[in-house]
Amino acid sequence: MKKSWWILLIVIAGVIGITGASFAVEMKNPDILVVADYGTVDSLDPAYAYDTASGCRIINIYETLIFWDREKTDQFIPMLATKVPSLENGLISADGLTYTFPIRKGVKFHNGEILTPEDVEYSIQRAMVQDRSGGPVWMFLEPLLGVGSTRKGGEIVVDFEDIDKAVEVKDNSVVFHLKQPYPPFLAILANSWGSIVNKKFLVENGGWPGTAETWKDFNGPEPGKEILHAITCGTGPFKLERWDPGVETVLVRNDDYWREPAKLKRVVTKYIEEWTTRKLMFLAGDIDVVMVDRQYMTEMEGVEGVRIHKDLPTLQVSAAFYNFKINPEGNADIGSGKLDGEGIPPDFFSDKDVRLAFSYAFNWDIYLRDAWHGEAWQPISPIPRGLPYLNLEQAVYSYDRAKTEEHFKKAWGGELWEKGFKMTVLYNTGNAQRRTAAHIFEDNIESLNPKFRIEVRPVEWATYLDDLIAGKLTLFNIGWLPDYPDPYNFIYPFMHSNGTFAAWQSYGDPQVDALIEESIATVDPEKREELYYELQKIYYEDVPGVGLYQPLGRRYEWNWVKGWYFNPVISNWETTGYAYPIWKE
């Protein structure tokens, strides 16, 4: 009995990684990559999907005209095009309005059809025709049509003629006609929404036939009703073998691939929400790559045979945003709704001294140490490290108790310090980093004046998001991941009056809007740098929000996994990523 008990302890030590335990794990299924993650796939339609889990599957099944040059986020390699357009090779016009892509010959779709320039034209036009609500197609509409959506107030507001003229076939090339110069256009085409689909396959399965008479019938599909929701036909290195929602996706090698076929025969991504299950399967060798949340990362340190890629510079920026015009309707988070010591007025943060006081009250040293274990940077501006035009000399806020008190005493003509205030800051349940940030604001501000009261309260993500969109949050902590690696994709949501975050916090300035719009229409790098430096300076001085963190990422894999490389723009790089270069040995 005692012997059995000790044998069981040894087994448990090997599985859960008790300190000092040593155990041998052998590679299983040498030509199958098995990944454990908890992100669910929304759609396999490249023109519909706008989440990283879906995008990861799509970039392995489909291909784009150009793709990222391995780790580089600002350089590309030709894929279904034979050349990357540039001013130097004449494939981008001198005025920046015309992009020409020579199309590769002899490439086969998974159904055996040969890729044609007409497929490329159809793919981009179909994306604009479909333009589902909240989807990624605005990135084509803005440069090609000069609009953010094909609809306004539920009504279609564009003409098909404009869609038809924006993309055209010329001999064996496809030509894009832009409404204005748009420097990140190549980066937009390189991501999953730029995937090329097979027109014949779409039409056979009830998709848009490519005619002007029918296009409105396919505009704005309901969720799950898009034709390519669960069926695929790409040119990529893998084909869809099975998608069992909430369980797993299985991709099988495309042996008729136009390049050398992938080394892996299959890529299996399992949906495993519970950490302990993921961990046990990984440590048993049943999983090759595993998603590890930050709160569990110490459990994986020192496990023999596990390779941990650390300090990976992500392109995510999260900030605390001050709501200039809080929606008071049924909003208990602002208390009385007045500056009477029992609440805050809806325009509480319209006073710049309030915003400055809150910004000087945040302690990044403690936050980055406790919430991020030192594996994050304090953002310099809305533009993350790793992108061009970040001003490394730009001033940033730091914890300063004296300045916090100084600005609180100035705020609201001195009334705030005398009367005090009461407000609630929400965070979404389970988000330890947002909880910690909220409590740092609470502790450092309440300690200044007994009349200052901040309640920190968790709510479900759906509630947090609903209140955020409704403008009810007093201040909110949220982050932005890049759609494409260009500073415009960060400056616009943070600062433009129509940008995602700025609109939610009712922040806007016509002069700022004009600078942002000029920055995207300018192809001269020196001029763009000048504009973005000015915008970063304005963000610091106007303080509509304050950057909290840019995280450094990690990836956990067994050392028999070979060939993976880090590019922060590639969807789900933490687990599956782009599987073509990966093998096991």
Side-chain angles (χ1 to χ4, degrees):
M1 189 70 177
K2 289 183 178 179
K3 184 177 181 180
S4 299
W5 174 249
W6 280 108
I7 291 174
L8 179 60
L9 276 180
I10 292 170
V11 171
I12 292 174
V15 174
I16 68 173
I18 292 176
T19 302
S22 178
F23 58 97
V25 177
E26 295 183 357
M27 178 180 66
K28 301 176 183 178
N29 304 311
D31 56 0
I32 299 175
L33 184 75
V34 184
V35 172
D37 204 345
Y38 52 77
T40 54
V41 174
D42 182 41
S43 174
L44 295 175
D45 186 339
Y48 187 97
Y50 202 12
D51 63 288
T52 56
S54 301
C56 175
R57 277 59 166 190
I58 289 168
I59 63 171
N60 285 292
I61 296 169
Y62 292 91
E63 290 179 304
T64 49
L65 292 169
I66 58 175
F67 197 59
W68 318 109
D69 185 2
R70 289 187 59 87
E71 297 90 348
K72 301 178 180 70
T73 61
D74 59 350
Q75 296 181 33
F76 307 94
I77 57 171
M79 293 295 282
L80 296 183
T82 58
K83 293 182 180 179
V84 178
S86 68
L87 290 168
E88 290 72 22
N89 63 21
L91 296 178
I92 299 178
S93 62
D95 61 6
L97 297 179
T98 304
Y99 287 65
T100 301
F101 292 85
I103 303 306
R104 193 176 299 278
K105 296 179 180 179
V107 176
K108 288 184 180 180
F109 284 98
H110 297 159
N111 63 350
E113 294 292 318
I114 301 297
L115 170 74
T116 67
E118 285 75 19
D119 287 309
V120 176
E121 176 190 43
Y122 173 83
S123 297
I124 305 302
Q125 289 183 351
R126 169 190 170 266
M128 292 190 285
V129 161
Q130 180 168 286
D131 182 31
R132 68 101 162 174
S133 296
V137 176
W138 67 270
M139 284 180 271
F140 291 138
L141 296 171
E142 194 169 88
L144 294 173
L145 302 188
V147 299
S149 173
T150 57
R151 298 175 300 277
K152 187 174 183 179
E155 299 294 325
I156 293 176
V157 293
V158 303
D159 295 324
F160 178 74
E161 184 180 1
D162 293 329
I163 295 175
D164 192 39
K165 288 180 178 179
V167 192
E168 64 174 352
V169 173
K170 186 176 181 180
D171 299 325
N172 194 57
S173 295
V174 173
V175 182
F176 293 83
H177 300 285
L178 279 61
K179 284 290 186 182
Q180 66 175 33
Y182 208 89
F185 188 62
L186 289 177
I188 291 169
L189 289 173
N191 221 323
S192 59
W193 32 80
S195 297
I196 305 307
V197 302
N198 180 238
K199 180 178 179 180
K200 183 174 184 290
F201 180 82
L202 262 294
V203 175
E204 287 176 347
N205 284 278
W208 177 55
T211 61
E213 297 77 21
T214 59
W215 82 276
K216 292 183 180 180
D217 297 333
F218 295 87
N219 183 258
E222 296 179 9
K225 301 297 184 182
E226 69 279 10
I227 300 300
L228 293 181
H229 176 77
I231 58 174
T232 65
C233 184
T235 62
F238 296 94
K239 300 184 286 187
L240 177 67
E241 184 172 83
R242 185 173 70 257
W243 172 27
D244 189 353
V247 180
E248 66 180 12
T249 56
V250 181
L251 307 182
V252 63
R253 182 171 59 209
N254 174 15
D255 289 324
D256 207 14
Y257 188 41
W258 62 274
R259 295 192 287 178
E260 180 182 347
K263 297 180 178 67
L264 294 169
K265 184 176 181 180
R266 281 183 173 79
V267 178
V268 180
T269 304
K270 296 181 177 292
Y271 175 81
I272 304 174
E273 186 174 9
E274 206 273 320
W275 160 242
T276 301
T277 303
R278 291 201 310 277
K279 177 183 175 181
L280 292 177
M281 292 179 68
F282 179 66
L283 294 182
D286 296 321
I287 289 168
D288 302 302
V289 188
V290 65
M291 173 62 82
V292 180
D293 287 322
R294 198 161 295 267
Q295 61 263 42
Y296 305 122
M297 67 184 192
T298 56
E299 299 178 31
M300 302 303 296
E301 294 289 342
V303 179
E304 184 179 353
V306 172
R307 181 187 300 119
I308 306 176
H309 299 272
K310 296 182 179 181
D311 297 327
L312 302 174
T314 72
L315 293 179
Q316 175 187 347
V317 171
S318 288
F321 297 87
Y322 307 126
N323 193 344
F324 285 57
K325 193 177 180 181
I326 303 165
N327 181 356
E329 186 176 351
N331 192 349
D333 295 336
I334 61 173
S336 66
K338 301 175 182 178
L339 192 64
D340 58 2
E342 294 300 322
I344 58 173
D347 59 349
F348 182 64
F349 285 108
S350 67
D351 187 312
K352 184 177 177 179
D353 281 303
V354 174
R355 304 196 302 272
L356 286 167
F358 269 75
S359 299
Y360 283 118
F362 196 80
N363 191 321
W364 280 270
D365 290 340
I366 290 175
Y367 181 60
L368 299 180
R369 182 197 69 200
D370 292 354
W372 292 97
H373 301 278
E375 296 186 3
W377 291 315
Q378 178 184 354
I380 296 172
S381 79
I383 301 173
R385 295 173 187 261
L387 289 189
Y389 313 129
L390 171 64
N391 183 3
L392 296 172
E393 302 301 318
Q394 175 61 56
V396 296
Y397 289 97
S398 59
Y399 176 55
D400 190 319
R401 187 177 175 87
K403 286 186 177 180
T404 303
E405 182 174 335
E406 173 191 341
H407 287 289
F408 270 132
K409 286 181 175 179
K410 289 180 181 179
W412 289 93
E415 287 188 69
L416 184 62
W417 186 263
E418 296 302 321
K419 294 181 178 179
F421 69 89
K422 180 181 179 182
M423 62 181 281
T424 300
V425 175
L426 302 184
Y427 70 91
N428 54 302
T429 304
N431 192 311
Q433 286 78 27
R434 288 180 185 156
R435 181 188 67 232
T436 301
H439 280 299
I440 288 174
F441 279 121
E442 176 193 27
D443 294 345
N444 290 344
I445 290 172
E446 287 189 341
S447 66
L448 285 173
N449 187 332
K451 296 177 182 179
F452 292 172
R453 290 172 290 168
I454 298 176
E455 179 188 353
V456 174
R457 181 163 58 88
V459 293
E460 293 300 318
W461 170 246
T463 301
Y464 189 84
L465 189 59
D466 287 345
D467 285 354
L468 178 59
I469 294 170
K472 290 186 173 183
L473 299 186
T474 54
L475 65 83
F476 56 90
N477 177 356
I478 200 165
W480 187 261
L481 292 166
D483 298 304
Y484 48 85
D486 188 271
Y488 176 76
N489 193 233
F490 286 84
I491 288 290
Y492 189 94
F494 276 71
M495 296 186 70
H496 196 282
S497 58
N498 291 327
T500 303
F501 299 150
W504 284 341
Q505 64 179 137
S506 297
Y507 170 72
D509 182 326
Q511 292 182 326
V512 169
D513 288 356
L515 289 172
I516 294 171
E517 289 158 14
E518 185 181 358
S519 76
I520 194 60
T522 301
V523 294
D524 180 3
E526 291 185 5
K527 181 61 177 176
R528 292 194 86 204
E529 180 178 80
E530 178 186 327
L531 291 166
Y532 286 122
Y533 273 36
E534 177 64 18
L535 286 162
Q536 291 171 81
K537 181 172 178 282
I538 291 172
Y539 198 83
Y540 172 78
E541 292 176 348
D542 212 15
V543 65
V546 62
L548 297 184
Y549 62 89
Q550 179 181 347
L552 297 170
R554 287 190 175 202
R555 175 180 161 102
Y556 296 80
E557 62 188 15
W558 282 107
N559 58 13
W560 56 68
V561 177
K562 310 292 184 181
W564 175 83
Y565 61 84
F566 173 66
N567 185 314
V569 187
I570 291 177
S571 293
N572 277 36
W573 54 262
E574 304 96 326
T575 50
T576 308
Y578 183 50
Y580 177 67
I582 297 175
W583 76 95
K584 292 166 63 175
E585 69 176 21

